[in-house]
Amino acid sequence: MKTGIIKRSLRLVFLLTLTASLSGCMYWIRAYQVYLQMDEFDRNFSVEANDEFTLRFKHPILYSKDFVSLSKLYASQDDPTTDGRRWRYWFRKVDGNNELIKPEVKFYSALNFNKENRLIAWSFSSLFLAIAPPKFLEISLRSIGGAEIDKEKQQLKANPALLEKISADLPKKPAVLAQLGEPFEIKDEAEQEVYIYRFLLETNHIEEGYEDRALNEVKITFDKKTQELVRMAGRFAGLKVSINYRKFLDESQDVAQNKPE
């Protein structure tokens, strides 16, 4: 109990400091409030996984304008819905000259806003799930609760040690390549191979000085021995994501499954 009180008190101090240092930047304050909600994940969020992976916000805080302020990017599509609006950011695979690859390989990230323009759902399409399986994507989101804050880099470093581990199969390289095709580059390491893909964001507008955010480099790492996808890192519409899947696996079960009889 005391640890929880101290933890929240420190966060309050951080919030007050952030308010003072970012005068007028209310979008950062609202983003920080969403971060605080992660401490009680099931109370504030729900997850759906089918053709899309969707994170639903039970108590919406962020406005559509906040997302633009944070990412400096505008959506590829902006469509009305019965509840508000749906933004969709399309990412298309490109070569070294930023020319579209054919046959086309693409995925999207979608944001749903209510009639008050608050974010109520964040979805990723099926192709994205080929490199970020739903179980791992959910547990990585849950790990944000209690994450370390790097104020200078404006990043969160999740702490998987605070979470229960999961039992799940990691995607194999042939299955991933069947979805993504050949990479832009392959980096050979001692025990791993890093496949690098480039995706260009289709966007109606980018704020001046942030044009480089349209090009998104996605790195996926395979274990040479097992051919398993073990890590994914990339930037998607201004959101930096890095997931080490092995940190979330229940190693004890894996040992039990491979134990000789």
Side-chain angles (χ1 to χ4, degrees):
M1 180 66 72
K2 288 183 179 180
T3 303
I5 294 173
I6 293 172
K7 187 177 180 181
R8 289 186 177 277
S9 297
L10 290 173
R11 289 184 181 182
L12 179 58
V13 171
F14 176 85
L15 180 58
L16 292 173
T17 304
L18 194 64
T19 305
S21 62
L22 298 174
S23 178
C25 299
M26 287 303 298
Y27 56 88
W28 277 113
I29 306 304
R30 287 189 284 269
Y32 184 74
Q33 290 173 330
V34 174
Y35 159 72
L36 291 179
Q37 286 184 326
M38 290 288 180
D39 262 358
E40 297 180 276
F41 189 91
D42 293 312
R43 178 181 178 182
N44 295 303
F45 305 93
S46 64
V47 168
E48 296 176 11
N50 36 60
D51 290 337
E52 293 182 329
F53 177 94
T54 301
L55 176 69
R56 297 198 179 278
F57 298 72
K58 296 180 181 179
H59 307 288
I61 294 177
L62 282 177
Y63 289 97
S64 57
K65 63 181 180 181
D66 295 335
F67 194 86
V68 173
S69 296
L70 290 164
S71 68
K72 311 301 181 184
L73 303 169
Y74 290 77
S76 315
Q77 294 176 237
D78 180 359
D79 301 313
T81 66
T82 55
D83 298 322
R85 305 201 70 82
R86 179 176 172 88
W87 289 2
R88 190 171 291 188
Y89 290 80
W90 280 103
F91 301 86
R92 291 179 165 84
K93 184 180 175 183
V94 294
D95 59 20
N97 297 315
N98 293 342
E99 297 293 331
L100 296 180
I101 297 289
K102 293 183 179 181
E104 189 177 50
V105 177
K106 62 183 180 179
F107 67 91
Y108 64 79
S109 170
L111 304 172
N112 280 68
F113 302 95
N114 61 20
K115 293 180 180 179
E116 287 74 43
N117 289 321
R118 289 185 184 268
L119 180 62
I120 57 174
W122 195 338
S123 302
F124 294 91
S125 65
S126 57
L127 184 66
F128 184 80
L129 302 184
I131 58 174
K135 283 188 177 181
F136 292 96
L137 194 51
E138 178 179 351
I139 198 168
S140 65
L141 287 169
R142 288 178 177 272
S143 70
I144 293 175
E148 296 178 8
I149 301 173
D150 188 324
K151 183 181 173 183
E152 291 184 2
K153 295 182 179 180
Q154 298 174 342
Q155 294 178 351
L156 294 175
K157 184 177 181 181
N159 186 359
L162 300 177
L163 292 175
E164 293 184 6
K165 305 298 183 179
I166 62 172
S167 298
D169 294 326
L170 290 167
K172 299 286 188 177
K173 184 165 74 171
V176 175
L177 296 186
Q179 294 285 325
L180 297 185
E182 292 300 315
F184 167 71
E185 182 182 358
I186 301 176
K187 290 186 177 180
D188 186 54
E189 299 179 354
E191 298 180 354
Q192 300 174 331
E193 289 179 314
V194 181
Y195 279 52
I196 301 174
Y197 290 85
R198 304 180 80 181
F199 289 88
L200 190 65
L201 172 65
E202 176 189 331
T203 177
N204 293 321
H205 179 67
I206 303 176
E207 291 193 15
E208 186 176 354
Y210 295 90
E211 292 81 5
D212 62 324
R213 292 193 178 186
L215 184 61
N216 300 272
E217 190 173 85
V218 180
K219 298 179 181 180
I220 54 178
T221 303
F222 297 101
D223 183 288
K224 284 185 178 179
K225 184 178 180 180
T226 65
Q227 297 290 287
E228 292 175 331
L229 171 63
V230 294
R231 183 188 291 269
M232 182 273 288
R235 188 178 65 197
F236 309 97
L239 175 69
K240 291 183 179 180
V241 178
S242 180
I243 307 175
N244 185 339
Y245 297 120
R246 282 180 169 166
K247 288 186 177 181
F248 298 109
L249 284 176
D250 184 348
E251 295 180 357
S252 62
Q253 178 160 336
D254 183 61
V255 171
Q257 289 176 343
N258 293 282
K259 184 177 179 182
E261 295 182 0

